[in-house]
Structures are given as structure tokens and as C-alpha cells.
Amino acid sequence: MGKKIVVAGAGHGGLVAGMKLAAAGYDVTVYERKIRADLGYDWEDAIDFRVFADCGLEPPQKEKYSFNGDMKFYNPNLKTPIIVPANGKGSAVFERSEIYDVLIKAAEEHGVKIVYSTEIIAPVMNGLRVTGIRTSDGVVPADLVIDAAGINSPIRRNLPVCCNVDRDYGYGECFYAYRAYFNKIEGHEPDVAYEVFLMHQGEHGISWVVTKDTYVDVLIGRMAPMSDDKIAATLAEMRRFSPQIGETLLRGGSQEQIPVRRPLSVMVCDGYAAVGDSAYMTMPMTGSGICAAMRAGVMLADTVLADREERYSRETLWDYNRKYILHYGQSFAAIDILKNVMLCTEVEGVNFLFDKQIITENDMSFGTGRNEGGMAFSDVLSRGIRGIGNLPVLLRTAGALTKGDNVKKVYQSMPEVYDEAAVLKWKDDVLAATTLMKR
Ligand SMILES: Cc1cc2nc3c(=O)[nH]c(=O)nc-3n(C[C@H](O)[C@H](O)[C@H](O)COP(=O)(O)OP(=O)(O)OC[C@H]3O[C@@H](n4cnc5c(N)ncnc54)[C@H](O)[C@@H]3O)c2cc1C
């Protein structure tokens, strides 16, 4: 006991893991570039309310959150939307700052130290082992580094190749998301408040318009960074369809990145474990990642606590890697296939799936949190995808969906113990099963 744990970045999963480990007597310090008041974002997030209890946390009081209702998904031609009823199971909507208040309070109460205004630069290596972090204030040694520094983590990005942790993401694996709250123009109330636009305006990505009582929450997510002019033009187009979106910016207005891909296959190495966005733990269609990050934080802490010899090696940390993949990662990887079809292929294919009612309300119910396991891809194929007139579009769309059924099988074959050759082979198999198309 008393081993030194460094949490790189005050990400949600890192705070949960740190809290559990500090409670068990570990010496835990979080290093974070922002100041306390700037943690998170100036907007609300939808999460599964049960996550607080799952992590042993006291949830915010009732008056601090509300519940999302039904969701309406539009295909690119906007003609045949699908409404997915929440059926009383909508996600809870919290201010991000409220979530951070809960996490920071619990972490500090359990003895976690948090050092703000510190830029993390890279891992410190000793051979194959991560032995600390290099920060703007110098080197910090650690027996274990928990990487909770988000999608562009400088730790993950600077790991040597021999750690087997993929350092970068590619096209279609990250949303560049502009999010803003605007004033609401009265007189234009949509039938469903939460509207999601797939391959919006014919572009790879997603947008949403959430119409509240006094404001409208707008998100524009694309697979490449957007210029200010591009955002302004997209907003102008959105206002034509959704005239309730006013011109006065009330909150937000920044462009941020969200991972939207399968999780890292290998998220641990000697002295290192990634959690949350640094390991791409978001649900790929929606980019929701808070719950998965927090639950993974519990899994990681359990694995560390079970490592009686305090090795924190790739072999002993593999148990965490495997638990995460089998509980969440494989389902999210299947949803990643759906995302590739719905957001990154051809407009014609997506319109066809909606117009001919091949995609159903049930297939899209992941958005409400009802169906995190995703769709049965072979079912979709049997529902008549063969009807697409354009042969190349048919082949690409059907090919992508066929792949979806194979993904779970490959994930199930994940090695039970860390054997280098077996892990590398499985990692290659995952890549082959999830790579859909050349871009
Ligand atoms: C527009 C938008 C909407 C979203 N909506 C939802 C939603 O409704 N529901 C949901 O569940 N999720 C949502 N997400 C995703 C969610 O933000 C992430 O999945 C979640 O925050 C988990 O990521 P994380 O905590 O691992 O990393 P992050 O939230 O990225 O936190 C990483 C931390 O590390 C710090 N850091 C990074 N680099 C360094 C460095 N070099 N040195 C020091 N510190 C560093 C950062 O400052 C930050 O505090 C949304 C994201 C965006 C951008």
C-alpha cells in the first residue's frame, strides 16, 4: 500500500479510479492543466443517472437535473424521420459543472490531491515501463500512471510503439463539435424537442437541435475541423429548418473534439492504463462518454487493488482492459459500424434505409440509452437492403452492415491473459473486423 498513483488530467474516469484508490490507502495525485473553475464545459450533458450509485457517489440533488424525452432522427433528405420514444427511460440532463462538483468533492474527501494549472507534456519511460509524467513543472515519478487526459492525451500520443497502445485516431473517428445555446424564437415549437440530423446537410457527421422552454441547444458535429464561416453558414441553413433558433448566443459557442470510434484494443502497458476519452470510450453514434469513463474508473481501481504484488504491468492490468472491452467496448464497436454507415458513407444509402423503413425505431433506440447493445446487422440486411438501386452504394452499405455481425465474435475471442503474440493477433483481428472502407 501507499504506492504512488499519478492521474494525468482530471478526466471523469481518472477521478473515480483515483478516489477508490486513495480510499484504499494509495497516494494519488491528479495533474490538470485547467483551474478548478474551468473544469468541464459550460453546458449540459445527458447521462445515465444510475452511474453515480454504480461508482459509490452521492448524486446531485433532484432540482439539479431533468430527464430527456423522445428523440427524432432525421435522414439526410429530412423526409422520413424516426421518432424513438424515451418510454420513461430518457437520460438525465445535468450541468457538466454539477457532475464535476460531485467527482471533485468525493475525490478530495477520500484523499486525492489535485494539482491545477499544470501542463502534462509526455510520459517518462524506463525501457518498456511508464515510470512517471513530464510536466511543465518537472518530472513526477509514479508506480502507475492513469491516463485521463482526454482524446489528445500527450501520454498516449508519446508512448513508444512497443507499448502496443495505438497513439492516434484517423478520419471518421473524431467529431469536431460546435455547441452553443441560442435564444428561442417563439411560435415555432417542434413536435419532438430533441431532433438529431444524420449526415446533416449531406456532410459526414451529425447535428442536433434541442428546443427547451427558453433557449435552443445546437450541436454541429463534423469529421473535420470547421472554420467560423462554415459554422455560420451551417447555422443559417439550420435556422431555415428550425426557425426557433435565435441569433443571440447565450452559452457555449466553442468547438471541441469527441472521440467517435471503437475503444483502444490495448489500453494498458507496464505502469500505464488509459481511461475515458484517452481510450476512446465514448458511444460512437452520440459521443456520450461520461458514464463509460466513470464505470471504467471503477473497473480499473478494482484491478489495481487486486494486484497484490503491486506490479501494475501489462499482464496484471489486462484484467481491466478485458473487463472494459467485454462489458462495453464490444457493444460500442458494433455501434461504431452503425455510425460509419449512418454518418460516414453515402447519403443515398442512409436515405434508402430510412425511406424504405429498413432501419427501425428499435435500431435507433441506442440514442435514448435503451439499446446500448446496438442493432442486429443481419436483421437489417434481411429487411431488404438489397433494394438499393445503385450497385456501389448497395455493396458499401451492405458490406458495412455485414461486418457488424462479425465484430462481436472477434471481440469475444479476446485473450483471457496477456500473451504478447495472442494480444497482437487479436488486435489485428479487431482492426480487420472494424475497418469498413478505404477513404
Ligand atoms: C460538445 C460535446 C457534447 C458532449 N455531450 C455529452 C453528453 O451529453 N453525455 C456524455 O456522456 N458525454 C458527452 N460528451 C463527451 C464527454 O465530454 C467525454 O466523453 C467525457 O468528458 C469523458 O472524457 P474524459 O473525462 O476521459 O476526458 P476529458 O473530458 O477530455 O477530460 C480530460 C481532462 O484532461 C485535461 N488535460 C488534457 N490534456 C492535458 C494536458 N496536456 N495537461 C494537463 N491536463 C490535460 C483536460 O483539461 C481535462 O480536464 C460531450 C462532449 C462534447 C465535446
Side-chain angles (χ1 to χ4, degrees):
M1 288 295 173
K3 286 278 177 178
K4 192 169 164 52
I5 312 273
V6 159
V7 179
H12 303 69
L15 288 169
V16 169
M19 172 190 85
K20 300 255 172 214
L21 293 170
Y26 287 74
D27 173 6
V28 182
T29 310
V30 177
Y31 291 86
E32 165 60 44
R33 64 150 65 112
K34 292 182 181 169
I35 59 169
R36 167 69 183 88
D38 289 347
L39 282 183
Y41 301 107
D42 179 25
W43 58 56
E44 298 159 312
D45 291 288
I47 63 173
D48 174 358
F49 182 77
R50 292 166 297 185
V51 73
F52 293 104
D54 293 350
C55 297
L57 292 161
E58 193 68 39
Q61 290 156 346
K62 275 213 168 85
E63 57 275 15
K64 306 264 185 180
Y65 58 89
S66 56
F67 282 95
N68 259 341
D70 303 348
M71 291 175 81
K72 187 170 186 177
F73 289 90
Y74 286 92
N75 50 328
N77 66 21
L78 306 172
K79 286 184 186 153
T80 46
I82 294 175
I83 295 178
V84 180
N87 290 341
K89 294 192 175 162
S91 309
V93 181
F94 293 86
E95 287 288 337
R96 180 72 69 108
S97 59
E98 297 287 352
I99 301 173
Y100 261 112
D101 285 350
V102 170
L103 290 173
I104 297 288
K105 181 168 174 278
E108 288 182 336
E109 277 174 4
H110 286 94
V112 174
K113 290 157 276 180
I114 306 180
V115 181
Y116 294 100
S117 307
T118 303
E119 183 73 22
I120 299 160
I121 297 161
V124 177
M125 301 297 302
N126 183 358
L128 285 183
R129 190 172 183 95
V130 176
T131 57
I133 58 171
R134 189 148 54 83
T135 76
S136 48
D137 295 328
V139 165
V140 183
D143 296 302
L144 171 67
V145 172
I146 295 177
D147 184 353
I151 183 171
N152 293 313
S153 164
I155 310 283
R156 189 198 69 236
R157 284 206 143 145
N158 289 298
L159 288 173
V161 175
C162 54
C163 287
N164 300 327
V165 177
D166 289 340
R167 293 178 293 193
D168 272 312
Y169 47 89
Y171 178 80
E173 298 185 338
C174 166
F175 272 157
Y176 294 81
Y178 167 86
R179 187 165 182 195
Y181 289 15
F182 291 97
N183 65 313
K184 181 177 167 187
I185 307 287
E186 294 301 335
H188 305 283
E189 206 68 46
D191 57 343
V192 173
Y194 198 150
E195 299 173 289
V196 180
F197 301 83
L198 306 174
M199 252 195 261
H200 184 220
Q201 300 180 4
E203 294 170 6
H204 286 178
I206 199 168
S207 299
W208 79 46
V209 176
V210 186
T211 306
K212 303 275 192 160
D213 288 345
T214 55
Y215 63 94
V216 185
D217 170 4
V218 175
L219 177 131
I220 306 168
R222 296 294 184 269
M223 297 300 178
M226 293 169 283
S227 67
D228 290 348
D229 286 349
K230 165 77 189 159
I231 292 168
T234 307
L235 280 170
E237 190 62 34
M238 289 172 93
R239 287 189 179 100
R240 270 192 275 282
F241 188 79
S242 307
Q244 71 271 27
I245 307 172
E247 298 273 355
T248 308
L249 177 67
L250 303 177
R251 290 174 67 181
S254 63
Q255 195 175 162
E256 310 289 344
Q257 286 177 263
I258 318 179
V260 281
R261 51 158 277 170
R262 68 192 184 285
L264 280 176
S265 296
V266 177
M267 53 186 81
V268 299
C269 67
D270 299 339
Y272 172 90
V275 67
D277 279 14
S278 65
Y280 314 131
M281 288 181 174
T282 49
M283 216 256 249
M285 274 294 283
T286 58
S288 295
I290 296 171
C291 293
M294 289 172 61
R295 290 185 171 123
V298 176
M299 292 178 183
L300 175 55
D302 287 346
T303 296
V304 172
L305 293 171
D307 186 353
R308 301 268 173 231
E309 292 168 24
E310 302 180 328
R311 286 164 61 201
Y312 319 130
S313 61
R314 55 190 81 194
E315 288 83 7
T316 62
L317 293 168
W318 187 245
D319 175 59
Y320 154 65
N321 199 138
R322 192 172 144 78
K323 264 195 206 138
Y324 181 77
I325 292 289
L326 295 182
H327 274 87
Y328 299 104
Q330 59 172 342
S331 302
F332 286 5
I335 293 175
D336 189 29
I337 305 280
L338 178 64
K339 176 218 78 191
N340 284 330
V341 174
M342 296 290 190
L343 308 184
C344 283
T345 48
E346 277 121 310
V347 164
E348 187 187 339
V350 180
N351 281 333
F352 182 87
L353 293 174
F354 273 66
D355 291 346
K356 301 290 178 195
Q357 295 171 6
I358 293 166
I359 288 281
T360 66
E361 170 207 315
N362 199 43
D363 297 323
M364 301 305 288
S365 61
F366 61 84
T368 59
R370 270 169 46 199
N371 176 17
E372 294 216 329
M375 67 211 295
F377 294 89
S378 47
D379 278 7
V380 176
L381 288 172
S382 69
R383 274 180 238 147
I385 191 155
R386 287 163 207 85
I388 295 184
N390 177 329
L391 187 61
V393 175
L394 161 67
L395 291 178
R396 281 191 289 270
T397 311
L401 288 168
T402 310
K403 284 253 185 185
D405 270 347
N406 190 33
V407 162
K408 282 203 178 185
K409 276 187 225 139
V410 172
Y411 274 95
Q412 292 287 340
S413 71
M414 180 178 192
E416 281 182 31
V417 292
Y418 191 99
D419 167 85
E420 186 90 356
V423 166
L424 290 180
K425 155 106 182 39
W426 171 74
K427 195 177 154 204
D428 283 350
D429 290 347
V430 168
L431 187 64
T434 52
T435 305
L436 298 183
M437 57 212 94
K438 297 236 179 307
R439 298 190 173 93

